[in-house]
Amino acid sequence: MSAAMSVRGTPYRWGGESPGGFDCSGLVVWSFRQAGRGGLPHSSRALVGMGRRISVGQLVPGDLVAYGSPVHHIGIYIGGGQYVHAPHTGDVVKVWVEGIGTGGRVFGLGGGRGEVGGHGGAELWGRVSGLAGGGRVDAGAV
C-alpha cells in the first residue's frame, strides 16, 4: 500500500493513471504496477471480474474494495476498516476512515451475493487473484 499511500493528495482526474491525477481504477492499476504487477485493466468492473468473493472478515491489506451496482468505484484496503481511493472529480486521493460496515449490501467479486454492511450503498469486497496480501505481490508495496 505504500505506492497508493504515497500519492495521497493527488487530484482526481477521470481516466488518470499517474501521479499527475488518478481515477479510482487508475490508482489501483498504478499502485499494483509499482509493486511489480502490471497489465491490470483500467476499469473497476473489469478488476472486479478478476476476483472472487471473500467475507469482510477475510479482508487483508492489499485486497480491493469496490462498490456500486453496477460496480462504479474501487479502492485498496489498508486495514482497520479503511481503504485508500480516488473518490471523484473535485477531490483527491485519500483514505476512507469512516470504516467498512455501516449499512448496505455486499456483493462478492465472483458475482455471489450476501447481506452485510457497507458504506453508503452497494458494497463489494474481494480478493483479486495474485493482488492481495496472500498473493504474488507484496501488499505493502502496492
Side-chain angles (χ1 to χ4, degrees):
M1 283 115 0
S2 62
M5 295 296 282
S6 75
V7 293
R8 283 176 297 168
T10 300
Y12 178 94
R13 181 172 55 91
W14 188 85
E17 191 178 307
S18 75
F22 294 100
D23 65 11
C24 63
S25 57
L27 176 65
V28 170
V29 169
W30 180 85
S31 298
F32 280 100
R33 186 181 312 126
Q34 302 314 299
R37 177 61 160 88
L40 296 178
H42 188 146
S43 159
S44 56
R45 288 182 198 159
L47 287 164
V48 163
M50 297 173 65
R52 65 179 175 83
R53 181 179 182 175
I54 63 171
S55 70
V56 174
Q58 292 175 299
L59 278 170
V60 297
D63 282 343
L64 301 182
V65 178
Y67 61 93
S69 183
V71 172
H72 63 270
H73 190 61
I74 198 159
I76 303 167
Y77 185 69
I78 62 172
Q82 302 176 358
Y83 62 94
V84 61
H85 67 137
H88 52 77
T89 301
D91 212 334
V92 297
V93 173
K94 63 185 176 184
V95 173
W96 176 263
V97 296
E98 297 179 36
I100 298 173
T102 59
R105 286 177 43 184
V106 175
F107 296 85
L109 291 179
R113 295 173 185 242
E115 295 295 329
V116 200
H119 89 270
E123 283 284 334
L124 194 145
W125 293 275
R127 185 156 297 138
V128 173
S129 179
L131 301 186
R136 300 181 303 255
V137 173
D138 174 10
V142 171

